[in-house]
Amino acid sequence: MKVRSHRAGKLLKGLWLALVLAFLYIPIIVMIALSFNASVSRAAWTGFTLDWYVKLFKSKQIMAALNVTITVAVIATVVSTVLGTLGAIGMHAMSTGMANLLINVSYLPMTTPDIVTGVSLMLMFIFVKVPLGKWTMIMAHIAFDTPYVLFSVMPKLRQMNPNLYEAALDLGCHPAKALYKVIIPEIMPGIVTGALLAFTMSLDDFVISYFTSNTDQNLAMIVYSAARRGVEPTMYALSTLMFIVVLGLLLIVNRRNGLEDIA
Amino acid sequence: MKRSWYAAPYGVWMVLFTVVPLLFVLYYAFTDQSGAFTVNNFVKIASPMYGLVLWDSLRLAFFCTLLCLLIGYPTAYFLASRDFSNAQTLVVLILVPMWMNFLLRTYAMMTLFENNGVINTLLESLGLERIQMIGTEGAVLVGMVYNFLPFMVLPVYTVLKKMDYSVIEAAEDLGASPIRVVSRVVLPMSIPGVVSGITMVFMPAVTTFAISRMLSSGMIYLVGDMIEDYFIAMNNRNVGSTISLVMLVLIILSIGLLRKVDPDNTGGGLW
């Protein structure tokens, strides 16, 4: 009796999970399917086509946005990886009080709602009369990317044997060289994970970019302005590609670090 | 050079690009267009019209959080139970949509909900009437739940997974019914995860702006939409800052209240 009720329970649980997964995936699957649909209408399937993808790559506006997205993500990732790694190394050597203060500042962009972060940066850039464009977007992206690098590197530093660095110094190694030769190789996995996370966050950002750039649009901003005009199949094609790229990047991060890190 | 100095560029950057901008919100909230000190912005947004928008945002965010909890808690509980050998894969499957840009997810929802969209076409082919979904609160609510559900599942799952399973077995051995096991053992132990899940759903839900605009074609107007309009369309950054400030304070207060439920902050949050 107990066994049978257990099996019925398992069946119900499985059904519940299947429904939740259906809710999460049906819209995505429909959208991917429609990106290959020959008809503009969402009402009927009229045959397979790659036209929307061709149109996507022929659109000057979308190609310009792709260029902005990648430029911003690359520059922001490089700068935030350097800043975040050095920041983590410095904080590791600091007194606890000072380090805690900096950690709290690092949590700030993660706990402030994106829209407030976006408008606050916009206000500052306008106040100091910097024109809102690609460069203001890059500065904003560095600000929200860097904590991801910091929090990926810090655990690796804590795992490191502190005597290694001391030993290098005792053996006459210059501190800068000891950093480069001893610390950096030890924490490399954390740096790479942090950089990948930063790159993904940067590619994926809409809200903060939207408020910090006027003249240059990234891909997410294109999706938003297209959505206000109504649904377009080229946007399905774009969405499908963006989804696949971000998914690919996360699988790489995940493979490196296990489940906790895609969180 | 002391090693702690390596953190200096990081510290300077973070202060310059996260702390200082927030001070600008404060400054703009208390000044008029000419830069003179004023509290008129606060007087202006104390009117019923603004109150109504805020009320709508809080109400929708509340129902969104409630629905996410009602759907997400059992999901996390089943995933953490020992019934599924492939639970790890299922967890990844539930988290993947979280990493899809929320605009794309909302765009997908639009496709389903439109007047000529997938759901209505399906209804028609079944010989049923079309339903107007875009522009209703229901559509916006479903869109929000769709976007934020994984943020509830993840922290609850993390806490439940860490839970000592023998405690549940002990309760069962001592004769507790399944409902009693959940209400007296599982639920109290999972409070930290629930608290961080609520925070992670409520905060983006109450500040959302694109979701409501896309799924209601502007018929449902939330605080986030209002901030967007003040900054982008109306170019009145002072009133926009005042609204942002009020919203930020409300959020900090509600997080503070929630923390009282979970003072040690042991929740399996993202960070």
PDB file of all heavy atoms in Angstrom, chain A residues 10 13 16 23-25 42 106 204 210 228 232 236 239 250 262, chain B residues 10 75 83 93 99 101 103-104 107 111 114 121 146 203 213 228:
ATOM      1  N   LYS A  10       5.074   9.986  -6.902  1.00  0.00           N
ATOM      2  CA  LYS A  10       6.161  10.283  -7.821  1.00  0.00           C
ATOM      3  C   LYS A  10       5.619  10.692  -9.196  1.00  0.00           C
ATOM      4  O   LYS A  10       6.127  11.604  -9.840  1.00  0.00           O
ATOM      5  CB  LYS A  10       7.064   9.052  -7.957  1.00  0.00           C
ATOM      6  CG  LYS A  10       8.355   9.375  -8.662  1.00  0.00           C
ATOM      7  CD  LYS A  10       9.284   8.185  -8.737  1.00  0.00           C
ATOM      8  CE  LYS A  10      10.392   8.484  -9.736  1.00  0.00           C
ATOM      9  NZ  LYS A  10      11.336   7.402  -9.861  1.00  0.00           N
ATOM     10  N   LYS A  13       4.357  14.233  -8.934  1.00  0.00           N
ATOM     11  CA  LYS A  13       5.499  15.161  -8.899  1.00  0.00           C
ATOM     12  C   LYS A  13       6.065  15.351 -10.299  1.00  0.00           C
ATOM     13  O   LYS A  13       6.363  16.461 -10.718  1.00  0.00           O
ATOM     14  CB  LYS A  13       6.593  14.623  -7.972  1.00  0.00           C
ATOM     15  CG  LYS A  13       6.261  14.718  -6.497  1.00  0.00           C
ATOM     16  CD  LYS A  13       7.376  14.073  -5.690  1.00  0.00           C
ATOM     17  CE  LYS A  13       7.014  14.006  -4.207  1.00  0.00           C
ATOM     18  NZ  LYS A  13       8.049  13.322  -3.442  1.00  0.00           N
ATOM     19  N   TRP A  16       3.832  17.518 -12.374  1.00  0.00           N
ATOM     20  CA  TRP A  16       3.980  18.927 -11.992  1.00  0.00           C
ATOM     21  C   TRP A  16       5.232  19.528 -12.651  1.00  0.00           C
ATOM     22  O   TRP A  16       5.178  20.601 -13.253  1.00  0.00           O
ATOM     23  CB  TRP A  16       4.059  19.033 -10.466  1.00  0.00           C
ATOM     24  CG  TRP A  16       4.315  20.410  -9.956  1.00  0.00           C
ATOM     25  CD1 TRP A  16       5.528  21.020  -9.821  1.00  0.00           C
ATOM     26  CD2 TRP A  16       3.339  21.375  -9.542  1.00  0.00           C
ATOM     27  NE1 TRP A  16       5.377  22.293  -9.331  1.00  0.00           N
ATOM     28  CE2 TRP A  16       4.036  22.542  -9.153  1.00  0.00           C
ATOM     29  CE3 TRP A  16       1.938  21.361  -9.440  1.00  0.00           C
ATOM     30  CZ2 TRP A  16       3.382  23.678  -8.684  1.00  0.00           C
ATOM     31  CZ3 TRP A  16       1.300  22.498  -8.973  1.00  0.00           C
ATOM     32  CH2 TRP A  16       2.011  23.639  -8.604  1.00  0.00           C
ATOM     33  N   PHE A  23       5.566  25.219 -19.405  1.00  0.00           N
ATOM     34  CA  PHE A  23       5.302  26.655 -19.263  1.00  0.00           C
ATOM     35  C   PHE A  23       6.546  27.471 -19.615  1.00  0.00           C
ATOM     36  O   PHE A  23       6.468  28.484 -20.304  1.00  0.00           O
ATOM     37  CB  PHE A  23       4.850  26.925 -17.825  1.00  0.00           C
ATOM     38  CG  PHE A  23       4.710  28.381 -17.472  1.00  0.00           C
ATOM     39  CD1 PHE A  23       3.808  29.192 -18.138  1.00  0.00           C
ATOM     40  CD2 PHE A  23       5.461  28.937 -16.447  1.00  0.00           C
ATOM     41  CE1 PHE A  23       3.662  30.536 -17.798  1.00  0.00           C
ATOM     42  CE2 PHE A  23       5.324  30.273 -16.099  1.00  0.00           C
ATOM     43  CZ  PHE A  23       4.426  31.064 -16.784  1.00  0.00           C
ATOM     44  N   LEU A  24       7.719  26.982 -19.164  1.00  0.00           N
ATOM     45  CA  LEU A  24       8.949  27.737 -19.406  1.00  0.00           C
ATOM     46  C   LEU A  24       9.426  27.618 -20.854  1.00  0.00           C
ATOM     47  O   LEU A  24      10.001  28.554 -21.396  1.00  0.00           O
ATOM     48  CB  LEU A  24      10.060  27.264 -18.469  1.00  0.00           C
ATOM     49  CG  LEU A  24       9.902  27.630 -16.996  1.00  0.00           C
ATOM     50  CD1 LEU A  24      10.989  26.960 -16.166  1.00  0.00           C
ATOM     51  CD2 LEU A  24       9.961  29.138 -16.801  1.00  0.00           C
ATOM     52  N   TYR A  25       9.190  26.454 -21.474  1.00  0.00           N
ATOM     53  CA  TYR A  25       9.810  26.236 -22.777  1.00  0.00           C
ATOM     54  C   TYR A  25       8.908  26.436 -23.984  1.00  0.00           C
ATOM     55  O   TYR A  25       9.404  26.724 -25.071  1.00  0.00           O
ATOM     56  CB  TYR A  25      10.463  24.841 -22.827  1.00  0.00           C
ATOM     57  CG  TYR A  25      11.806  24.867 -22.151  1.00  0.00           C
ATOM     58  CD1 TYR A  25      11.935  24.584 -20.804  1.00  0.00           C
ATOM     59  CD2 TYR A  25      12.937  25.255 -22.856  1.00  0.00           C
ATOM     60  CE1 TYR A  25      13.155  24.661 -20.168  1.00  0.00           C
ATOM     61  CE2 TYR A  25      14.165  25.329 -22.242  1.00  0.00           C
ATOM     62  CZ  TYR A  25      14.277  25.028 -20.890  1.00  0.00           C
ATOM     63  OH  TYR A  25      15.484  25.112 -20.279  1.00  0.00           O
ATOM     64  N   ARG A  42       1.868  34.828 -37.637  1.00  0.00           N
ATOM     65  CA  ARG A  42       2.167  33.828 -36.634  1.00  0.00           C
ATOM     66  C   ARG A  42       1.097  32.753 -36.621  1.00  0.00           C
ATOM     67  O   ARG A  42       1.137  31.824 -35.860  1.00  0.00           O
ATOM     68  CB  ARG A  42       2.225  34.476 -35.233  1.00  0.00           C
ATOM     69  CG  ARG A  42       3.586  34.914 -34.836  1.00  0.00           C
ATOM     70  CD  ARG A  42       3.931  36.293 -35.387  1.00  0.00           C
ATOM     71  NE  ARG A  42       2.972  37.290 -34.950  1.00  0.00           N
ATOM     72  CZ  ARG A  42       2.716  38.394 -35.613  1.00  0.00           C
ATOM     73  NH1 ARG A  42       3.292  38.641 -36.754  1.00  0.00           N
ATOM     74  NH2 ARG A  42       1.866  39.258 -35.145  1.00  0.00           N
ATOM     75  N   SER A 106      30.698  46.407  -3.333  1.00  0.00           N
ATOM     76  CA  SER A 106      30.585  45.507  -4.486  1.00  0.00           C
ATOM     77  C   SER A 106      29.189  44.908  -4.615  1.00  0.00           C
ATOM     78  O   SER A 106      28.756  44.560  -5.703  1.00  0.00           O
ATOM     79  CB  SER A 106      31.594  44.378  -4.379  1.00  0.00           C
ATOM     80  OG  SER A 106      32.859  44.891  -4.067  1.00  0.00           O
ATOM     81  N   ASP A 204      24.155  40.420 -22.455  1.00  0.00           N
ATOM     82  CA  ASP A 204      22.756  40.216 -22.139  1.00  0.00           C
ATOM     83  C   ASP A 204      22.068  41.481 -21.630  1.00  0.00           C
ATOM     84  O   ASP A 204      20.860  41.532 -21.520  1.00  0.00           O
ATOM     85  CB  ASP A 204      22.673  39.124 -21.058  1.00  0.00           C
ATOM     86  CG  ASP A 204      21.312  38.477 -21.038  1.00  0.00           C
ATOM     87  OD1 ASP A 204      20.842  38.113 -22.125  1.00  0.00           O
ATOM     88  OD2 ASP A 204      20.719  38.357 -19.965  1.00  0.00           O
ATOM     89  N   TYR A 210      20.300  50.810 -21.956  1.00  0.00           N
ATOM     90  CA  TYR A 210      19.224  51.661 -22.474  1.00  0.00           C
ATOM     91  C   TYR A 210      19.297  53.075 -21.891  1.00  0.00           C
ATOM     92  O   TYR A 210      19.056  54.052 -22.585  1.00  0.00           O
ATOM     93  CB  TYR A 210      17.893  50.987 -22.125  1.00  0.00           C
ATOM     94  CG  TYR A 210      16.644  51.696 -22.555  1.00  0.00           C
ATOM     95  CD1 TYR A 210      16.350  51.872 -23.903  1.00  0.00           C
ATOM     96  CD2 TYR A 210      15.737  52.166 -21.613  1.00  0.00           C
ATOM     97  CE1 TYR A 210      15.177  52.492 -24.300  1.00  0.00           C
ATOM     98  CE2 TYR A 210      14.564  52.792 -21.996  1.00  0.00           C
ATOM     99  CZ  TYR A 210      14.280  52.952 -23.345  1.00  0.00           C
ATOM    100  OH  TYR A 210      13.129  53.564 -23.726  1.00  0.00           O
ATOM    101  N   ARG A 228       8.151  47.540 -29.708  1.00  0.00           N
ATOM    102  CA  ARG A 228       7.168  48.623 -29.560  1.00  0.00           C
ATOM    103  C   ARG A 228       6.443  48.867 -30.870  1.00  0.00           C
ATOM    104  O   ARG A 228       5.359  49.414 -30.885  1.00  0.00           O
ATOM    105  CB  ARG A 228       7.868  49.891 -29.077  1.00  0.00           C
ATOM    106  CG  ARG A 228       8.506  49.696 -27.733  1.00  0.00           C
ATOM    107  CD  ARG A 228       9.163  50.941 -27.232  1.00  0.00           C
ATOM    108  NE  ARG A 228       8.155  51.837 -26.674  1.00  0.00           N
ATOM    109  CZ  ARG A 228       8.451  52.801 -25.821  1.00  0.00           C
ATOM    110  NH1 ARG A 228       9.680  53.016 -25.454  1.00  0.00           N
ATOM    111  NH2 ARG A 228       7.516  53.588 -25.346  1.00  0.00           N
ATOM    112  N   GLU A 232       8.039  41.186 -35.298  1.00  0.00           N
ATOM    113  CA  GLU A 232       8.663  41.005 -36.614  1.00  0.00           C
ATOM    114  C   GLU A 232       9.432  39.686 -36.631  1.00  0.00           C
ATOM    115  O   GLU A 232      10.163  39.408 -35.686  1.00  0.00           O
ATOM    116  CB  GLU A 232       9.720  42.098 -36.843  1.00  0.00           C
ATOM    117  CG  GLU A 232       9.259  43.334 -37.540  1.00  0.00           C
ATOM    118  CD  GLU A 232      10.396  44.345 -37.527  1.00  0.00           C
ATOM    119  OE1 GLU A 232      11.434  44.071 -38.147  1.00  0.00           O
ATOM    120  OE2 GLU A 232      10.244  45.376 -36.860  1.00  0.00           O
ATOM    121  N   TYR A 236      12.612  37.251 -34.268  1.00  0.00           N
ATOM    122  CA  TYR A 236      12.663  35.863 -33.803  1.00  0.00           C
ATOM    123  C   TYR A 236      14.012  35.256 -34.143  1.00  0.00           C
ATOM    124  O   TYR A 236      14.613  34.533 -33.333  1.00  0.00           O
ATOM    125  CB  TYR A 236      11.574  35.015 -34.457  1.00  0.00           C
ATOM    126  CG  TYR A 236      10.171  35.400 -34.083  1.00  0.00           C
ATOM    127  CD1 TYR A 236       9.163  35.422 -35.033  1.00  0.00           C
ATOM    128  CD2 TYR A 236       9.862  35.734 -32.777  1.00  0.00           C
ATOM    129  CE1 TYR A 236       7.869  35.762 -34.697  1.00  0.00           C
ATOM    130  CE2 TYR A 236       8.575  36.077 -32.434  1.00  0.00           C
ATOM    131  CZ  TYR A 236       7.582  36.088 -33.395  1.00  0.00           C
ATOM    132  OH  TYR A 236       6.318  36.434 -33.061  1.00  0.00           O
ATOM    133  N   SER A 239      16.546  36.743 -31.811  1.00  0.00           N
ATOM    134  CA  SER A 239      16.377  36.178 -30.474  1.00  0.00           C
ATOM    135  C   SER A 239      16.939  34.772 -30.397  1.00  0.00           C
ATOM    136  O   SER A 239      17.610  34.406 -29.429  1.00  0.00           O
ATOM    137  CB  SER A 239      14.896  36.126 -30.097  1.00  0.00           C
ATOM    138  OG  SER A 239      14.317  37.389 -30.207  1.00  0.00           O
ATOM    139  N   LEU A 250      27.228  29.922 -21.263  1.00  0.00           N
ATOM    140  CA  LEU A 250      26.945  29.434 -19.917  1.00  0.00           C
ATOM    141  C   LEU A 250      27.299  27.977 -19.755  1.00  0.00           C
ATOM    142  O   LEU A 250      27.738  27.560 -18.685  1.00  0.00           O
ATOM    143  CB  LEU A 250      25.478  29.651 -19.593  1.00  0.00           C
ATOM    144  CG  LEU A 250      25.315  31.096 -19.190  1.00  0.00           C
ATOM    145  CD1 LEU A 250      23.895  31.529 -19.344  1.00  0.00           C
ATOM    146  CD2 LEU A 250      25.788  31.288 -17.771  1.00  0.00           C
ATOM    147  N   ILE A 262      26.381  28.875 -12.498  1.00  0.00           N
ATOM    148  CA  ILE A 262      25.481  29.507 -13.457  1.00  0.00           C
ATOM    149  C   ILE A 262      24.419  30.288 -12.707  1.00  0.00           C
ATOM    150  O   ILE A 262      23.661  31.030 -13.278  1.00  0.00           O
ATOM    151  CB  ILE A 262      24.848  28.524 -14.466  1.00  0.00           C
ATOM    152  CG1 ILE A 262      23.765  27.679 -13.827  1.00  0.00           C
ATOM    153  CG2 ILE A 262      25.880  27.669 -15.129  1.00  0.00           C
ATOM    154  CD1 ILE A 262      22.862  27.078 -14.891  1.00  0.00           C
TER     155      ILE A 262
ATOM    156  N   TYR B  10      40.155  49.330  -8.252  1.00  0.00           N
ATOM    157  CA  TYR B  10      38.827  48.747  -8.137  1.00  0.00           C
ATOM    158  C   TYR B  10      37.942  49.600  -7.228  1.00  0.00           C
ATOM    159  O   TYR B  10      36.817  49.963  -7.581  1.00  0.00           O
ATOM    160  CB  TYR B  10      38.923  47.323  -7.582  1.00  0.00           C
ATOM    161  CG  TYR B  10      37.588  46.701  -7.284  1.00  0.00           C
ATOM    162  CD1 TYR B  10      36.799  46.205  -8.306  1.00  0.00           C
ATOM    163  CD2 TYR B  10      37.085  46.638  -5.970  1.00  0.00           C
ATOM    164  CE1 TYR B  10      35.560  45.648  -8.043  1.00  0.00           C
ATOM    165  CE2 TYR B  10      35.855  46.084  -5.705  1.00  0.00           C
ATOM    166  CZ  TYR B  10      35.092  45.592  -6.744  1.00  0.00           C
ATOM    167  OH  TYR B  10      33.860  45.060  -6.480  1.00  0.00           O
ATOM    168  N   THR B  75       7.888  23.002  -6.939  1.00  0.00           N
ATOM    169  CA  THR B  75       8.866  22.612  -7.953  1.00  0.00           C
ATOM    170  C   THR B  75      10.222  22.344  -7.304  1.00  0.00           C
ATOM    171  O   THR B  75      10.838  21.296  -7.528  1.00  0.00           O
ATOM    172  CB  THR B  75       8.999  23.720  -9.012  1.00  0.00           C
ATOM    173  OG1 THR B  75       7.698  24.017  -9.508  1.00  0.00           O
ATOM    174  CG2 THR B  75       9.889  23.302 -10.160  1.00  0.00           C
ATOM    175  N   ASP B  83      13.287  11.553  -5.435  1.00  0.00           N
ATOM    176  CA  ASP B  83      12.502  10.739  -6.358  1.00  0.00           C
ATOM    177  C   ASP B  83      13.061  10.699  -7.770  1.00  0.00           C
ATOM    178  O   ASP B  83      12.729   9.812  -8.544  1.00  0.00           O
ATOM    179  CB  ASP B  83      11.056  11.243  -6.410  1.00  0.00           C
ATOM    180  CG  ASP B  83      10.315  10.834  -5.157  1.00  0.00           C
ATOM    181  OD1 ASP B  83      10.851   9.974  -4.426  1.00  0.00           O
ATOM    182  OD2 ASP B  83       9.235  11.377  -4.893  1.00  0.00           O
ATOM    183  N   LEU B  93      17.651  22.617 -16.566  1.00  0.00           N
ATOM    184  CA  LEU B  93      16.604  22.971 -17.533  1.00  0.00           C
ATOM    185  C   LEU B  93      15.721  24.104 -17.021  1.00  0.00           C
ATOM    186  O   LEU B  93      15.292  24.967 -17.773  1.00  0.00           O
ATOM    187  CB  LEU B  93      15.725  21.749 -17.824  1.00  0.00           C
ATOM    188  CG  LEU B  93      16.242  20.808 -18.903  1.00  0.00           C
ATOM    189  CD1 LEU B  93      15.323  19.599 -19.043  1.00  0.00           C
ATOM    190  CD2 LEU B  93      16.329  21.541 -20.242  1.00  0.00           C
ATOM    191  N   TRP B  99      18.640  32.688 -18.091  1.00  0.00           N
ATOM    192  CA  TRP B  99      19.765  33.305 -18.772  1.00  0.00           C
ATOM    193  C   TRP B  99      19.419  33.793 -20.166  1.00  0.00           C
ATOM    194  O   TRP B  99      20.265  34.263 -20.896  1.00  0.00           O
ATOM    195  CB  TRP B  99      20.935  32.332 -18.826  1.00  0.00           C
ATOM    196  CG  TRP B  99      21.587  32.303 -17.506  1.00  0.00           C
ATOM    197  CD1 TRP B  99      21.400  31.392 -16.530  1.00  0.00           C
ATOM    198  CD2 TRP B  99      22.473  33.285 -16.985  1.00  0.00           C
ATOM    199  NE1 TRP B  99      22.129  31.739 -15.434  1.00  0.00           N
ATOM    200  CE2 TRP B  99      22.798  32.886 -15.684  1.00  0.00           C
ATOM    201  CE3 TRP B  99      23.031  34.472 -17.484  1.00  0.00           C
ATOM    202  CZ2 TRP B  99      23.657  33.627 -14.881  1.00  0.00           C
ATOM    203  CZ3 TRP B  99      23.890  35.189 -16.671  1.00  0.00           C
ATOM    204  CH2 TRP B  99      24.180  34.767 -15.401  1.00  0.00           C
ATOM    205  N   ASN B 101      17.715  36.563 -22.330  1.00  0.00           N
ATOM    206  CA  ASN B 101      17.383  37.966 -22.099  1.00  0.00           C
ATOM    207  C   ASN B 101      15.884  38.132 -21.849  1.00  0.00           C
ATOM    208  O   ASN B 101      15.067  37.571 -22.567  1.00  0.00           O
ATOM    209  CB  ASN B 101      17.802  38.762 -23.325  1.00  0.00           C
ATOM    210  CG  ASN B 101      17.752  40.236 -23.066  1.00  0.00           C
ATOM    211  OD1 ASN B 101      16.700  40.774 -22.801  1.00  0.00           O
ATOM    212  ND2 ASN B 101      18.888  40.888 -23.119  1.00  0.00           N
ATOM    213  N   LEU B 103      13.898  40.463 -22.411  1.00  0.00           N
ATOM    214  CA  LEU B 103      13.152  41.032 -23.539  1.00  0.00           C
ATOM    215  C   LEU B 103      12.756  39.937 -24.518  1.00  0.00           C
ATOM    216  O   LEU B 103      11.653  39.933 -25.057  1.00  0.00           O
ATOM    217  CB  LEU B 103      14.002  42.063 -24.272  1.00  0.00           C
ATOM    218  CG  LEU B 103      14.219  43.383 -23.581  1.00  0.00           C
ATOM    219  CD1 LEU B 103      15.154  44.235 -24.401  1.00  0.00           C
ATOM    220  CD2 LEU B 103      12.904  44.100 -23.380  1.00  0.00           C
ATOM    221  N   LEU B 104      13.685  38.996 -24.743  1.00  0.00           N
ATOM    222  CA  LEU B 104      13.404  37.905 -25.671  1.00  0.00           C
ATOM    223  C   LEU B 104      12.307  37.013 -25.121  1.00  0.00           C
ATOM    224  O   LEU B 104      11.415  36.581 -25.842  1.00  0.00           O
ATOM    225  CB  LEU B 104      14.671  37.078 -25.935  1.00  0.00           C
ATOM    226  CG  LEU B 104      15.914  37.824 -26.405  1.00  0.00           C
ATOM    227  CD1 LEU B 104      17.018  36.841 -26.720  1.00  0.00           C
ATOM    228  CD2 LEU B 104      15.600  38.659 -27.630  1.00  0.00           C
ATOM    229  N   TYR B 107       9.144  38.851 -25.506  1.00  0.00           N
ATOM    230  CA  TYR B 107       8.811  38.842 -26.925  1.00  0.00           C
ATOM    231  C   TYR B 107       8.130  37.523 -27.285  1.00  0.00           C
ATOM    232  O   TYR B 107       7.143  37.494 -28.022  1.00  0.00           O
ATOM    233  CB  TYR B 107      10.105  38.992 -27.729  1.00  0.00           C
ATOM    234  CG  TYR B 107       9.959  39.668 -29.056  1.00  0.00           C
ATOM    235  CD1 TYR B 107       9.688  41.027 -29.121  1.00  0.00           C
ATOM    236  CD2 TYR B 107      10.101  38.961 -30.236  1.00  0.00           C
ATOM    237  CE1 TYR B 107       9.568  41.653 -30.343  1.00  0.00           C
ATOM    238  CE2 TYR B 107       9.985  39.582 -31.459  1.00  0.00           C
ATOM    239  CZ  TYR B 107       9.721  40.926 -31.510  1.00  0.00           C
ATOM    240  OH  TYR B 107       9.592  41.551 -32.711  1.00  0.00           O
ATOM    241  N   THR B 111       4.154  36.790 -28.671  1.00  0.00           N
ATOM    242  CA  THR B 111       3.790  35.934 -29.799  1.00  0.00           C
ATOM    243  C   THR B 111       2.604  35.038 -29.457  1.00  0.00           C
ATOM    244  O   THR B 111       1.728  34.805 -30.276  1.00  0.00           O
ATOM    245  CB  THR B 111       4.987  35.049 -30.170  1.00  0.00           C
ATOM    246  OG1 THR B 111       6.108  35.885 -30.340  1.00  0.00           O
ATOM    247  CG2 THR B 111       4.739  34.267 -31.416  1.00  0.00           C
ATOM    248  N   GLU B 114      -0.800  37.661 -28.577  1.00  0.00           N
ATOM    249  CA  GLU B 114      -1.358  38.620 -29.541  1.00  0.00           C
ATOM    250  C   GLU B 114      -2.749  38.233 -30.036  1.00  0.00           C
ATOM    251  O   GLU B 114      -3.123  37.069 -30.008  1.00  0.00           O
ATOM    252  CB  GLU B 114      -0.459  38.654 -30.766  1.00  0.00           C
ATOM    253  CG  GLU B 114       0.634  39.650 -30.710  1.00  0.00           C
ATOM    254  CD  GLU B 114       1.419  39.539 -31.982  1.00  0.00           C
ATOM    255  OE1 GLU B 114       1.745  38.402 -32.362  1.00  0.00           O
ATOM    256  OE2 GLU B 114       1.655  40.566 -32.601  1.00  0.00           O
ATOM    257  N   THR B 121      -5.088  31.672 -32.468  1.00  0.00           N
ATOM    258  CA  THR B 121      -5.217  30.824 -33.659  1.00  0.00           C
ATOM    259  C   THR B 121      -5.651  29.419 -33.262  1.00  0.00           C
ATOM    260  O   THR B 121      -6.520  28.815 -33.887  1.00  0.00           O
ATOM    261  CB  THR B 121      -3.867  30.745 -34.401  1.00  0.00           C
ATOM    262  OG1 THR B 121      -3.359  32.060 -34.539  1.00  0.00           O
ATOM    263  CG2 THR B 121      -4.022  30.122 -35.762  1.00  0.00           C
ATOM    264  N   TYR B 146       6.422  34.331 -15.722  1.00  0.00           N
ATOM    265  CA  TYR B 146       7.252  33.606 -16.677  1.00  0.00           C
ATOM    266  C   TYR B 146       8.716  34.033 -16.567  1.00  0.00           C
ATOM    267  O   TYR B 146       9.622  33.225 -16.595  1.00  0.00           O
ATOM    268  CB  TYR B 146       6.729  33.861 -18.094  1.00  0.00           C
ATOM    269  CG  TYR B 146       7.500  33.136 -19.162  1.00  0.00           C
ATOM    270  CD1 TYR B 146       7.559  31.756 -19.177  1.00  0.00           C
ATOM    271  CD2 TYR B 146       8.176  33.829 -20.151  1.00  0.00           C
ATOM    272  CE1 TYR B 146       8.258  31.079 -20.145  1.00  0.00           C
ATOM    273  CE2 TYR B 146       8.888  33.158 -21.130  1.00  0.00           C
ATOM    274  CZ  TYR B 146       8.926  31.787 -21.119  1.00  0.00           C
ATOM    275  OH  TYR B 146       9.638  31.120 -22.074  1.00  0.00           O
ATOM    276  N   MET B 203      11.762  42.302  -6.160  1.00  0.00           N
ATOM    277  CA  MET B 203      12.506  43.501  -6.565  1.00  0.00           C
ATOM    278  C   MET B 203      12.438  43.769  -8.067  1.00  0.00           C
ATOM    279  O   MET B 203      12.041  44.855  -8.477  1.00  0.00           O
ATOM    280  CB  MET B 203      13.938  43.448  -6.065  1.00  0.00           C
ATOM    281  CG  MET B 203      14.598  44.795  -6.114  1.00  0.00           C
ATOM    282  SD  MET B 203      16.206  44.784  -5.361  1.00  0.00           S
ATOM    283  CE  MET B 203      17.172  44.049  -6.648  1.00  0.00           C
ATOM    284  N   ARG B 213       4.997  47.180 -20.716  1.00  0.00           N
ATOM    285  CA  ARG B 213       4.788  47.915 -21.963  1.00  0.00           C
ATOM    286  C   ARG B 213       4.579  46.960 -23.137  1.00  0.00           C
ATOM    287  O   ARG B 213       3.717  47.167 -23.973  1.00  0.00           O
ATOM    288  CB  ARG B 213       5.982  48.837 -22.218  1.00  0.00           C
ATOM    289  CG  ARG B 213       5.794  49.710 -23.421  1.00  0.00           C
ATOM    290  CD  ARG B 213       6.487  51.035 -23.248  1.00  0.00           C
ATOM    291  NE  ARG B 213       5.840  51.873 -22.247  1.00  0.00           N
ATOM    292  CZ  ARG B 213       6.284  53.073 -21.883  1.00  0.00           C
ATOM    293  NH1 ARG B 213       7.377  53.566 -22.406  1.00  0.00           N
ATOM    294  NH2 ARG B 213       5.640  53.771 -20.997  1.00  0.00           N
ATOM    295  N   GLU B 228      10.883  55.455 -16.800  1.00  0.00           N
ATOM    296  CA  GLU B 228      11.390  55.461 -18.176  1.00  0.00           C
ATOM    297  C   GLU B 228      10.888  56.707 -18.908  1.00  0.00           C
ATOM    298  O   GLU B 228      11.662  57.424 -19.538  1.00  0.00           O
ATOM    299  CB  GLU B 228      10.951  54.193 -18.919  1.00  0.00           C
ATOM    300  CG  GLU B 228      11.516  54.119 -20.334  1.00  0.00           C
ATOM    301  CD  GLU B 228      10.706  53.223 -21.263  1.00  0.00           C
ATOM    302  OE1 GLU B 228       9.688  52.644 -20.830  1.00  0.00           O
ATOM    303  OE2 GLU B 228      11.084  53.127 -22.442  1.00  0.00           O
TER     304      GLU B 228
END
